[in-house]
Amino acid sequence: MAVLKKLGILLSGRGSNFEAIADSIQAGRLHAEIAIVISNRPDAPGLESAKRRGLNAVLIPSKGRVREEHDADVIAALHRAQVDLICLAGYMRLLSPHFIQAFPNRIVNIHPSLLPSFPGMDAQKQALEYGVKVTGCTVHFVDEHLDNGPIILQKTVPVLDGDDVNSLSARILEQEHAAYSEAIGLLLSGEVEVIERRVLRKRVSSEGR
Ligand code: GRF
């Protein structure tokens, strides 16, 4: 059997996207293993739930630390765990360029809007206030700029007349949970390649047929 690809999960809070990934693996929908879960915040519920699941759950506090130094500790932990792919799941910290260069095209993030619309904080509130009729979520590679790297997968969510931030966020979150595992599965399958900004299915050469 093929060796399972190893995921490193970085989180700072609730951790529902991490839970959804772990559930997909448990249910056999996603062929991977979670090698390490790292939180930069001691009180992150996601860290507790990773421990409850018996995963390698590590706290690397960032408070009061210089970004590069904290990142160096996180990078070392990810290397020790020999991760193949790093998934940011509500990780409320910008990565230093050094971090991104240490794992080229191997760091992904999920964002609760259809990027490039509404990057940054409170994406659902931004979408409501702008008045868009459709929003959603985006799984993308992480580069040096905020919510900017090549897009792997997007799912749409309609904005309803009666929506407030909570109801819209909840419907987007449902799609996030499906989208993240789907995107990870796609990347681990090795069937996609990144060409400039586009993440495309590899073309099967006619010789290979
Ligand atoms: C999600 O909405 C995700 O898109 C954003 O942060 C939130 C994290 O939620 N990046 P959770 O911690 O995964 O529940």
Side-chain angles (χ1 to χ4, degrees), residues 13-18 89-90 109-112 124 173 176:
R14 183 175 56 182
S16 73
N17 276 289
F18 147 65
N109 180 43
I110 187 153
H111 182 77
Q124 304 93 331
L173 194 61
E176 291 185 40

Side-chain angles (χ1 to χ4, degrees), residues 68-144:
E68 283 69 21
E69 287 174 10
H70 175 258
D71 277 2
D73 289 349
V74 177
I75 293 168
L78 291 166
H79 278 317
R80 274 197 300 276
Q82 299 186 315
V83 301
D84 297 295
L85 186 68
I86 297 157
C87 305
L88 308 187
Y91 189 60
M92 303 302 285
R93 214 166 148 78
L94 279 178
L95 305 187
S96 59
H98 175 62
F99 194 147
I100 290 155
Q101 285 150 19
F103 302 97
N105 272 356
R106 288 201 288 141
I107 310 174
V108 295
N109 180 43
I110 187 153
H111 182 77
S113 75
L114 296 175
L115 292 172
S117 291
F118 315 126
M121 296 294 286
D122 300 323
Q124 304 93 331
K125 184 165 177 269
Q126 292 184 54
L128 265 181
E129 285 177 358
Y130 194 93
V132 293
K133 299 297 182 192
V134 179
T135 182
C137 62
T138 303
V139 183
H140 64 94
F141 285 106
V142 173
D143 68 9
E144 274 84 1

